[in-house]
Amino acid sequence: MNMYRQNPVAFYLRALTYTLFALLLRLLMLAPLLFLLLPQGSPWRWGALLCPVMLVFVVLPMRYSFADALVQKPRQRFFSFDTALSTEHYGEKLGESLLHVLSVAKWALPLVVLVAFAGWYYLYPLEESPAELLETLKAMGQWGASVWYGISDFFVRLFGQTPAAHLEGSLVEGLYVILIVLGIGLLVFFYGIMRNSCNRYIWVAATREERNPRTEIRRRMRGRRLRQLLVGLLNLVLLLPFLVVTWLYLKDVFAPTIDLISTNMVTKFLKVHELNELVLPLVLAVLLLYLPLLPVRRILTATFSTARKRHAVAENMVDTSAAAKSIQASQMVSDVPMPEMPVVPQWVQQESVTYFPQNAQSVQNNQNVEG
């Protein structure tokens, strides 16, 4: 039995066990945030700074250790907890983690710029007169409605029809404009996350083969971005049950949550049992819909990332010259049968017996075989 060849069910269950442990570890890394609940002026509130420090120096390198456990060697399928929790090459893993964060962060720049511009251009001037915010949203709705109807009227006239009367944009259309702009920024950010999702698995493969990770990433991803997008969409399908259930639940509890927060701000008293009733369904959604499919999504990405590319040589690129054919023929195995044993001349056998009498028996056996 090959100890490095687990069946798929055992491999999945071991990966799932690790994801549960990693979730508990991340919750432990967030525990220092509880220091913020202490009264104002307490020096212990500075303990909350331990949270980002532990996230950077513990959680980020662990992601590369987990990738090392998922990337399998040829003819192996074995998830090792020792590898997933290993601190080997810690400095390299930490450095690659920080580079990965920077690579993803640059894709968030459009979203950050949009939010910063909206805050500076629309919200900051309204600090002294918040009532003007509604007028600003209404103006944005009118602009969005005019752009939408202008585009639609162009296609209506293109097919010889007469455009219908349009309604003036309002506050609702202004909110739609904001959501559309933010949605575009989020799509760019999510595309950046998907584009960099294969990097840590390729880093593992490049490190094992002693290659440059940056060069290996470019080589493996060249011409495969469309298939990478398809893998990302498949991962989104696996994540969709959790997102749908969470969205439907949050939509129903939005108003009760606002009431609970408003009551807490007035009374300075939080009812724990009401908070548990709101949070418990989300915890169940994570445990039942998110975590069970998380190893599948990671294994799918790791398999795609480390799959070896098969290069096919075009027919017009095959060398058909006489020299190439001669070299190819010399490299082929000859059809002439080779003798089973080497042929030793008779005089060599006689001199061998003369100078080395102990070879007499061997020479006699060879003669019997030839006879």
Side-chain angles (χ1 to χ4, degrees):
M1 180 179 178
N2 188 357
M3 62 176 297
Y4 295 105
R5 190 71 177 176
Q6 296 172 342
N7 63 74
V9 176
F11 185 87
Y12 164 77
L13 292 178
R14 291 172 71 91
L16 179 60
T17 303
Y18 172 81
T19 55
L20 292 173
F21 172 78
L23 175 62
L24 295 177
L25 184 63
R26 283 163 171 75
L27 294 177
L28 183 62
M29 299 296 105
L30 296 175
L33 294 178
L34 297 176
F35 285 112
L36 297 175
L37 300 178
L38 296 176
Q40 292 287 344
S42 175
W44 290 101
R45 291 173 60 89
W46 291 99
L49 295 177
L50 291 174
C51 177
V53 173
M54 290 191 295
L55 289 177
V56 171
F57 291 96
V58 177
V59 174
L60 291 183
M62 279 186 60
R63 290 167 52 86
Y64 278 76
S65 298
F66 179 52
D68 194 7
L70 284 183
V71 175
Q72 302 298 302
K73 297 179 181 178
R75 295 179 297 279
Q76 289 187 9
R77 185 173 58 239
F78 182 80
F79 185 89
S80 172
F81 290 105
D82 294 336
T83 304
L85 299 174
S86 174
T87 57
E88 187 179 5
H89 305 297
Y90 174 81
E92 297 179 12
K93 293 176 181 177
L94 179 61
E96 289 293 329
S97 300
L98 296 177
L99 289 177
H100 180 80
V101 171
L102 293 177
S103 299
V104 174
K106 69 183 181 183
W107 291 91
L109 288 179
L111 180 62
V112 174
V113 170
L114 290 174
V115 173
F117 174 77
W120 169 75
Y121 188 79
Y122 291 105
L123 300 181
Y124 180 74
L126 303 176
E127 185 177 1
E128 298 181 356
S129 56
E132 296 183 6
L133 178 60
L134 298 178
E135 296 296 330
T136 303
L137 290 175
K138 184 177 180 180
M140 292 178 63
Q142 293 175 352
W143 173 81
S146 63
V147 172
W148 170 257
Y149 289 129
I151 297 175
S152 62
D153 290 348
F154 170 78
F155 288 100
V156 168
R157 293 190 180 94
L158 186 64
F159 292 98
Q161 302 294 328
T162 302
H166 305 312
L167 298 177
E168 185 180 10
S170 61
L171 178 64
V172 177
E173 284 74 13
L175 294 176
Y176 286 159
V177 171
I178 294 177
L179 291 177
I180 291 173
V181 173
L182 292 180
I184 294 174
L186 286 174
L187 285 178
V188 173
F189 179 55
F190 291 151
Y191 177 78
I193 294 177
M194 181 275 302
R195 188 180 177 89
N196 290 274
S197 61
C198 299
N199 291 3
R200 52 176 169 160
Y201 305 105
I202 299 178
W203 177 87
V204 171
T207 303
R208 292 177 182 176
E209 299 174 1
E210 297 184 355
R211 297 182 178 181
N212 188 312
R214 307 274 79 77
T215 304
E216 191 70 8
I217 291 173
R218 291 192 296 268
R219 186 185 72 85
R220 288 180 179 267
M221 289 292 103
R222 185 182 298 116
R224 304 179 69 198
R225 292 299 183 183
L226 180 58
R227 281 176 286 179
Q228 184 185 15
L229 179 60
L230 296 178
V231 173
L233 293 177
L234 182 57
N235 284 329
L236 179 60
V237 171
L238 296 175
L239 187 61
L240 204 58
F242 170 74
L243 295 178
V244 171
V245 171
T246 303
W247 167 255
L248 294 176
Y249 174 73
L250 292 179
K251 185 178 65 173
D252 293 336
V253 302
F254 179 76
T257 303
I258 296 299
D259 295 338
L260 182 61
I261 295 175
S262 302
T263 304
N264 179 42
M265 294 177 62
V266 174
T267 62
K268 303 298 182 180
F269 178 74
L270 180 62
K271 297 181 180 180
V272 179
H273 70 278
E274 294 183 0
L275 183 62
N276 291 337
E277 293 177 356
L278 295 176
V279 175
L280 183 59
L282 294 178
V283 175
L284 293 177
V286 171
L287 295 178
L288 299 179
L289 297 177
Y290 178 78
L291 284 180
L293 295 177
L294 179 60
V296 179
R297 295 191 288 114
R298 295 294 181 265
I299 293 171
L300 180 64
T301 305
T303 304
F304 168 78
S305 304
T306 57
R308 295 190 176 275
K309 299 174 64 176
R310 297 181 180 179
H311 300 283
V313 180
E315 294 182 359
N316 56 1
M317 296 180 61
V318 178
D319 192 354
T320 57
S321 61
K325 292 181 179 179
S326 176
I327 295 174
Q328 182 179 5
S330 64
Q331 294 176 348
M332 297 178 61
V333 179
S334 176
D335 295 331
V336 179
M338 298 296 293
E340 297 182 357
M341 297 183 61
V343 178
V344 182
Q346 187 68 26
W347 64 270
V348 174
Q349 297 181 8
Q350 294 176 355
E351 290 188 357
S352 175
V353 173
T354 302
Y355 291 102
F356 304 96
Q358 62 272 21
N359 293 339
Q361 184 65 31
S362 176
V363 171
Q364 184 65 29
N365 295 336
N366 291 336
Q367 291 177 353
N368 294 335
V369 171
E370 293 176 359

